[in-house]
Amino acid sequence: MTRRGMFGLMGNSAITGALASLPAGNASGKPLHQAPSPPAPVQLPGTEPLTREGDLAAQMVEGIHRYLARQTAASVQKREAHWNRDYSSRTAYEASVAPQRERFRQIIGLIDPRVPFLAPELEITVGGPSLVAAGDGYKVLSVRWPVLEGVDAEGLLLEPAGTPLARVVALPDADWSPEMLAGLAPGVPAEAQFARRLAEQGCLVLIPTLINRACTWSGNEKIGKLTNETHREYIYRMTFEIGRHIIGYEVQKVLAAVDWFSQCQPARLIGVMGYGEGGLLALYSAAADTRIGAACVSGYFQTREGLWQEPVYRNVWCLLEAYGDAELAGLIVPRTLTIEAARGPEVPAQPPATDGRLDSAAPGRIVSPLLSDVQAEAKRGMPFFEKLGAAEHLRCIASGDGQGQPGSAEALETFLKGLGARGGMKPSGREPRDMRVGFDPVARLHRQFNQLVNFTQRVVMQCESVREKFWAKADSSSIENWQQSTEYYRRYLWEECFGKLPAPSEPLVTQTRKIYDEITWAGYEVLIPFWPEVFAYGILLLPKSMKEGERRPVVVCQHGSEGRPQHLIQPDNVPALGYYRRYAADLADHGFIVYCPQNPYIGHQTFQILQRLANPLKLSLFSFILSQHERTLDWLTTLPYVDASRIGFYGLSYGGKTAARVPPILERYALSICSADFNEGVWEICRDDVPWTFLFDEEYSILTYNLGNTFNYSEMANLMTPRPYMVERGHDDGPGLDPWVAYEYAKVQRHYDKMGLSERTRIEYFNGGHTLHGVGTFEFLHHFLDWGEPR
């Protein structure tokens, strides 16, 4: 018989008898002076002895890291399961990959309608020249073109003297200006100025300005908040929660140019060529839009399993689940793709936090792709071309030894051939001279940055109406109809927003050991296995007053960020932990069984890196938190002294966030109390006009892809219906304002009122900050878990 089976057959007498024999102790766990008692059990009956030593919380996080690293490596072989390619014809192939193309467009944030236009507008200052410059066979114009509502692209247009050979969007690295790529400004060697070289060959070339990696404007000077987040990260952090992305915004700028090119006469093939960050955009644009006939990607294409180490603004939700660079190449088939192995940008770290800036930037670096990695990924992509009879449309070219300048002659010739060019390239001409006086590219970049920030902030304020449409199928005509119609939303929240892990592979053989021996209760460390090296950990507090055959309610008490179960139990002799007010131990003194799980948000950068590893796999920290809580409930409900129908949840801070997210999904929780976290969550993450939002915080892992368009705190709370739900809020709690909290909670109260369940939800305000209060919440627990009256 398994340990689980043996435990299920054991009566309460084996447990309660052992607990009754425990020696009494004081708050520190030291025995009081009294008559000797029989020795206490060192482990719970029906469990294995817990012998693991060291910091179990840190070991748990390390185990999750190793699991994610293995899954990242394994993702390459698993991707094929997400595709159903039909190679019978080019038309059939395009149709067979269309769902994956649309999914890719969605996850990079290509969801906003573009503004239609006839042609770019010339940018000419009064008294200034109509031309920026003239080159060998082409002229240079300063232009802008509309993209999204309130968002323009700005840059340079290199227009050939005659009918263009092809029309190309040339994309510089993020830290290069359009002028550098056209040879009008220093900073890029002549041989790397591929926009100029394409214009010399007769192509019409459009060069957009990209958001750079400086941090000059990252923040809000009006409220005294500036950060060292790069401009790209700053925009990324306000967009991710609402289903947009800095990548998506800039791909939109490319595709707006393609919209124009597609209208031009006579019709010509359309190409994109980019380097570094521009290489990413060229690859993504060509994968997203079949109107692009040829693409050249330089200094970017490579194996992508190290994405978690790159800057956070390259993080794309669920990318590696179905798409590596090779799979994106497969979305370009049968069009032509030239991959150039060149020395890519080197970005060793985020900008320093100088001049009083907040040090909130996420770690991440860019290193030049290794030639072997470029070739390996190109080799993985080749079968997609071969099976469609288009092997000649994929070329991998090394600039020098793979670390040469972008835009080598061979790469340009191959790219131009894909655009219909015949014959060799013309020799490189002279570099043009900028005829503008006093032109400031910084002012242009600032405009581009501000437009994207302002657009995003407008979208943030529109999320509530988007959520209302998303929730249109929820039926609140009765409790039964509500529960049935919201099952879809419950699954969506878990699977699409947080990511759902597979079932544990290890048997439910729990390990325990006694660590507390108090007057009224005993405490046990608990380790519950999941997969090899991955486990759940926590502390169980059992009252000594339990009678044989009695089943008691359980309160699961959840710590906050950087917390531990011990922090909820130890006496108030550690000032830094005073905000927990020893509430788990207090509840045990009230006679509740208490379980304090260890959540994985501990270790600062260590746990934040878990989020970076998890996101590209369509996972998150809450993937593990949910699975750990589900497994914990599996175990708790086997205990003969636990009433499985009376298990409540009470969490503070990040534990309050857990209270807002986990019990609505895991219906075995009978109630939930969210303390020091409930808020207008989208504003708390994304807004830039108040100083306490996570936009200015170092905890970049707080972001959840597209949550703002699907679930705020009220929508998650409403999934609790008809189970009780409570909010605890200190008036002076920093991450938010009472009006924000009240506004969001009013939607919960209204929902419960409309459902005829007014008494099952409440909010308690108190004078205090980011701390637990423990007055109305204790009454709430006693009442709804049917456990007498609070003392």
Side-chain angles (χ1 to χ4, degrees), residues 623-646:
S623 304
F624 292 90
I625 292 169
L626 277 157
S627 289
Q628 288 174 324
H629 277 268
E630 185 176 47
R631 185 75 153 172
T632 297
L633 288 168
D634 290 343
W635 176 66
L636 285 173
T637 54
T638 67
L639 302 179
Y641 40 82
V642 165
D643 184 341
S645 68
R646 293 188 291 165

mmCIF file of all heavy atoms in Angstrom, residues 623-646:
data_model
loop_
_atom_site.group_PDB
_atom_site.id
_atom_site.type_symbol
_atom_site.label_atom_id
_atom_site.label_comp_id
_atom_site.label_asym_id
_atom_site.label_seq_id
_atom_site.Cartn_x
_atom_site.Cartn_y
_atom_site.Cartn_z
ATOM 1 N N SER A 623 2.147 30.103 -12.755
ATOM 2 C CA SER A 623 1.995 28.722 -13.211
ATOM 3 C C SER A 623 2.411 27.774 -12.097
ATOM 4 O O SER A 623 1.724 26.776 -11.804
ATOM 5 C CB SER A 623 2.848 28.465 -14.451
ATOM 6 O OG SER A 623 2.557 29.366 -15.483
ATOM 7 N N PHE A 624 3.539 28.089 -11.457
ATOM 8 C CA PHE A 624 4.049 27.240 -10.383
ATOM 9 C C PHE A 624 3.248 27.435 -9.101
ATOM 10 O O PHE A 624 2.953 26.460 -8.396
ATOM 11 C CB PHE A 624 5.533 27.530 -10.157
ATOM 12 C CG PHE A 624 6.395 27.088 -11.298
ATOM 13 C CD1 PHE A 624 6.678 27.954 -12.352
ATOM 14 C CD2 PHE A 624 6.896 25.801 -11.360
ATOM 15 C CE1 PHE A 624 7.445 27.544 -13.429
ATOM 16 C CE2 PHE A 624 7.668 25.374 -12.439
ATOM 17 C CZ PHE A 624 7.934 26.245 -13.475
ATOM 18 N N ILE A 625 2.890 28.674 -8.798
ATOM 19 C CA ILE A 625 2.117 28.929 -7.581
ATOM 20 C C ILE A 625 0.787 28.194 -7.638
ATOM 21 O O ILE A 625 0.368 27.551 -6.666
ATOM 22 C CB ILE A 625 1.920 30.447 -7.402
ATOM 23 C CG1 ILE A 625 3.259 31.118 -7.080
ATOM 24 C CG2 ILE A 625 0.909 30.735 -6.296
ATOM 25 C CD1 ILE A 625 3.227 32.634 -7.135
ATOM 26 N N LEU A 626 0.103 28.258 -8.768
ATOM 27 C CA LEU A 626 -1.174 27.562 -8.901
ATOM 28 C C LEU A 626 -1.011 26.053 -8.772
ATOM 29 O O LEU A 626 -1.788 25.391 -8.067
ATOM 30 C CB LEU A 626 -1.811 27.915 -10.250
ATOM 31 C CG LEU A 626 -2.586 29.225 -10.283
ATOM 32 C CD1 LEU A 626 -2.696 29.759 -11.703
ATOM 33 C CD2 LEU A 626 -3.974 29.034 -9.679
ATOM 34 N N SER A 627 -0.018 25.506 -9.445
ATOM 35 C CA SER A 627 0.188 24.062 -9.359
ATOM 36 C C SER A 627 0.586 23.639 -7.946
ATOM 37 O O SER A 627 0.159 22.582 -7.456
ATOM 38 C CB SER A 627 1.260 23.622 -10.357
ATOM 39 O OG SER A 627 0.768 23.710 -11.677
ATOM 40 N N GLN A 628 1.397 24.445 -7.277
ATOM 41 C CA GLN A 628 1.786 24.120 -5.910
ATOM 42 C C GLN A 628 0.593 24.157 -4.976
ATOM 43 O O GLN A 628 0.438 23.294 -4.111
ATOM 44 C CB GLN A 628 2.881 25.076 -5.442
ATOM 45 C CG GLN A 628 4.229 24.824 -6.097
ATOM 46 C CD GLN A 628 5.274 25.866 -5.728
ATOM 47 O OE1 GLN A 628 4.959 27.047 -5.581
ATOM 48 N NE2 GLN A 628 6.517 25.449 -5.575
ATOM 49 N N HIS A 629 -0.275 25.142 -5.148
ATOM 50 C CA HIS A 629 -1.465 25.206 -4.301
ATOM 51 C C HIS A 629 -2.429 24.065 -4.619
ATOM 52 O O HIS A 629 -3.058 23.509 -3.708
ATOM 53 C CB HIS A 629 -2.146 26.563 -4.463
ATOM 54 C CG HIS A 629 -1.539 27.631 -3.610
ATOM 55 N ND1 HIS A 629 -1.996 27.936 -2.350
ATOM 56 C CD2 HIS A 629 -0.480 28.442 -3.811
ATOM 57 C CE1 HIS A 629 -1.266 28.902 -1.827
ATOM 58 N NE2 HIS A 629 -0.322 29.229 -2.698
ATOM 59 N N GLU A 630 -2.558 23.722 -5.868
ATOM 60 C CA GLU A 630 -3.432 22.601 -6.220
ATOM 61 C C GLU A 630 -2.911 21.308 -5.598
ATOM 62 O O GLU A 630 -3.679 20.524 -5.025
ATOM 63 C CB GLU A 630 -3.513 22.466 -7.739
ATOM 64 C CG GLU A 630 -4.483 21.404 -8.205
ATOM 65 C CD GLU A 630 -4.601 21.356 -9.709
ATOM 66 O OE1 GLU A 630 -3.548 21.353 -10.381
ATOM 67 O OE2 GLU A 630 -5.726 21.328 -10.225
ATOM 68 N N ARG A 631 -1.605 21.111 -5.664
ATOM 69 C CA ARG A 631 -1.001 19.912 -5.071
ATOM 70 C C ARG A 631 -1.129 19.940 -3.548
ATOM 71 O O ARG A 631 -1.365 18.905 -2.909
ATOM 72 C CB ARG A 631 0.468 19.855 -5.480
ATOM 73 C CG ARG A 631 1.226 18.605 -5.055
ATOM 74 C CD ARG A 631 0.861 17.417 -5.893
ATOM 75 N NE ARG A 631 1.972 16.459 -5.940
ATOM 76 C CZ ARG A 631 1.886 15.259 -6.478
ATOM 77 N NH1 ARG A 631 0.744 14.867 -7.003
ATOM 78 N NH2 ARG A 631 2.934 14.463 -6.510
ATOM 79 N N THR A 632 -0.984 21.108 -2.962
ATOM 80 C CA THR A 632 -1.131 21.249 -1.518
ATOM 81 C C THR A 632 -2.547 20.900 -1.094
ATOM 82 O O THR A 632 -2.756 20.221 -0.074
ATOM 83 C CB THR A 632 -0.780 22.683 -1.090
ATOM 84 O OG1 THR A 632 0.593 22.932 -1.389
ATOM 85 C CG2 THR A 632 -1.020 22.885 0.392
ATOM 86 N N LEU A 633 -3.539 21.355 -1.868
ATOM 87 C CA LEU A 633 -4.927 21.006 -1.557
ATOM 88 C C LEU A 633 -5.151 19.503 -1.694
ATOM 89 O O LEU A 633 -5.904 18.899 -0.900
ATOM 90 C CB LEU A 633 -5.874 21.773 -2.475
ATOM 91 C CG LEU A 633 -6.012 23.273 -2.188
ATOM 92 C CD1 LEU A 633 -6.740 23.958 -3.328
ATOM 93 C CD2 LEU A 633 -6.730 23.514 -0.871
ATOM 94 N N ASP A 634 -4.508 18.885 -2.694
ATOM 95 C CA ASP A 634 -4.595 17.429 -2.817
ATOM 96 C C ASP A 634 -4.168 16.756 -1.519
ATOM 97 O O ASP A 634 -4.805 15.791 -1.061
ATOM 98 C CB ASP A 634 -3.706 16.930 -3.959
ATOM 99 C CG ASP A 634 -4.224 17.311 -5.332
ATOM 100 O OD1 ASP A 634 -5.410 17.669 -5.447
ATOM 101 O OD2 ASP A 634 -3.421 17.248 -6.292
ATOM 102 N N TRP A 635 -3.085 17.267 -0.934
ATOM 103 C CA TRP A 635 -2.567 16.664 0.294
ATOM 104 C C TRP A 635 -3.423 17.027 1.509
ATOM 105 O O TRP A 635 -3.795 16.148 2.298
ATOM 106 C CB TRP A 635 -1.118 17.102 0.523
ATOM 107 C CG TRP A 635 -0.561 16.600 1.822
ATOM 108 C CD1 TRP A 635 -0.314 15.300 2.173
ATOM 109 C CD2 TRP A 635 -0.206 17.392 2.955
ATOM 110 N NE1 TRP A 635 0.184 15.228 3.454
ATOM 111 C CE2 TRP A 635 0.264 16.508 3.953
ATOM 112 C CE3 TRP A 635 -0.219 18.754 3.222
ATOM 113 C CZ2 TRP A 635 0.699 16.946 5.197
ATOM 114 C CZ3 TRP A 635 0.227 19.202 4.457
ATOM 115 C CH2 TRP A 635 0.668 18.306 5.435
ATOM 116 N N LEU A 636 -3.745 18.295 1.648
ATOM 117 C CA LEU A 636 -4.515 18.720 2.826
ATOM 118 C C LEU A 636 -5.838 17.980 2.927
ATOM 119 O O LEU A 636 -6.273 17.603 4.032
ATOM 120 C CB LEU A 636 -4.780 20.226 2.768
ATOM 121 C CG LEU A 636 -3.616 21.162 3.091
ATOM 122 C CD1 LEU A 636 -4.006 22.609 2.831
ATOM 123 C CD2 LEU A 636 -3.168 20.994 4.548
ATOM 124 N N THR A 637 -6.478 17.752 1.801
ATOM 125 C CA THR A 637 -7.789 17.112 1.840
ATOM 126 C C THR A 637 -7.711 15.626 2.169
ATOM 127 O O THR A 637 -8.753 14.994 2.401
ATOM 128 C CB THR A 637 -8.527 17.308 0.501
ATOM 129 O OG1 THR A 637 -7.707 16.861 -0.574
ATOM 130 C CG2 THR A 637 -8.875 18.778 0.297
ATOM 131 N N THR A 638 -6.510 15.051 2.204
ATOM 132 C CA THR A 638 -6.371 13.652 2.648
ATOM 133 C C THR A 638 -6.217 13.550 4.155
ATOM 134 O O THR A 638 -6.343 12.447 4.705
ATOM 135 C CB THR A 638 -5.148 12.981 1.992
ATOM 136 O OG1 THR A 638 -3.951 13.592 2.479
ATOM 137 C CG2 THR A 638 -5.204 13.074 0.481
ATOM 138 N N LEU A 639 -5.940 14.667 4.822
ATOM 139 C CA LEU A 639 -5.683 14.611 6.264
ATOM 140 C C LEU A 639 -6.989 14.346 6.996
ATOM 141 O O LEU A 639 -7.999 15.027 6.780
ATOM 142 C CB LEU A 639 -5.047 15.919 6.743
ATOM 143 C CG LEU A 639 -3.730 16.306 6.070
ATOM 144 C CD1 LEU A 639 -3.209 17.626 6.619
ATOM 145 C CD2 LEU A 639 -2.688 15.210 6.235
ATOM 146 N N PRO A 640 -7.013 13.368 7.892
ATOM 147 C CA PRO A 640 -8.274 12.951 8.517
ATOM 148 C C PRO A 640 -8.877 13.987 9.454
ATOM 149 O O PRO A 640 -10.042 13.873 9.814
ATOM 150 C CB PRO A 640 -7.872 11.682 9.279
ATOM 151 C CG PRO A 640 -6.417 11.810 9.504
ATOM 152 C CD PRO A 640 -5.868 12.539 8.323
ATOM 153 N N TYR A 641 -8.117 15.004 9.845
ATOM 154 C CA TYR A 641 -8.635 16.025 10.748
ATOM 155 C C TYR A 641 -8.966 17.323 10.015
ATOM 156 O O TYR A 641 -9.310 18.327 10.631
ATOM 157 C CB TYR A 641 -7.632 16.303 11.874
ATOM 158 C CG TYR A 641 -6.195 16.321 11.422
ATOM 159 C CD1 TYR A 641 -5.626 17.444 10.845
ATOM 160 C CD2 TYR A 641 -5.401 15.172 11.547
ATOM 161 C CE1 TYR A 641 -4.318 17.455 10.407
ATOM 162 C CE2 TYR A 641 -4.084 15.172 11.108
ATOM 163 C CZ TYR A 641 -3.556 16.316 10.540
ATOM 164 O OH TYR A 641 -2.255 16.313 10.102
ATOM 165 N N VAL A 642 -8.869 17.314 8.683
ATOM 166 C CA VAL A 642 -9.173 18.493 7.878
ATOM 167 C C VAL A 642 -10.570 18.368 7.288
ATOM 168 O O VAL A 642 -10.923 17.342 6.704
ATOM 169 C CB VAL A 642 -8.145 18.671 6.744
ATOM 170 C CG1 VAL A 642 -8.644 19.652 5.687
ATOM 171 C CG2 VAL A 642 -6.814 19.139 7.307
ATOM 172 N N ASP A 643 -11.365 19.429 7.432
ATOM 173 C CA ASP A 643 -12.652 19.500 6.761
ATOM 174 C C ASP A 643 -12.413 20.110 5.386
ATOM 175 O O ASP A 643 -12.181 21.321 5.256
ATOM 176 C CB ASP A 643 -13.629 20.365 7.571
ATOM 177 C CG ASP A 643 -15.034 20.391 6.971
ATOM 178 O OD1 ASP A 643 -15.175 20.057 5.778
ATOM 179 O OD2 ASP A 643 -15.981 20.760 7.686
ATOM 180 N N ALA A 644 -12.454 19.286 4.362
ATOM 181 C CA ALA A 644 -12.105 19.731 3.012
ATOM 182 C C ALA A 644 -13.046 20.802 2.482
ATOM 183 O O ALA A 644 -12.693 21.522 1.542
ATOM 184 C CB ALA A 644 -12.096 18.533 2.062
ATOM 185 N N SER A 645 -14.229 20.937 3.050
ATOM 186 C CA SER A 645 -15.179 21.953 2.593
ATOM 187 C C SER A 645 -14.946 23.302 3.267
ATOM 188 O O SER A 645 -15.622 24.277 2.935
ATOM 189 C CB SER A 645 -16.612 21.498 2.854
ATOM 190 O OG SER A 645 -16.878 21.449 4.249
ATOM 191 N N ARG A 646 -14.000 23.372 4.211
ATOM 192 C CA ARG A 646 -13.763 24.608 4.956
ATOM 193 C C ARG A 646 -12.281 24.987 4.919
ATOM 194 O O ARG A 646 -11.619 25.055 5.947
ATOM 195 C CB ARG A 646 -14.243 24.476 6.398
ATOM 196 C CG ARG A 646 -15.756 24.351 6.546
ATOM 197 C CD ARG A 646 -16.165 24.415 8.004
ATOM 198 N NE ARG A 646 -15.753 23.241 8.756
ATOM 199 C CZ ARG A 646 -15.733 23.169 10.092
ATOM 200 N NH1 ARG A 646 -16.084 24.222 10.826
ATOM 201 N NH2 ARG A 646 -15.351 22.052 10.682
#
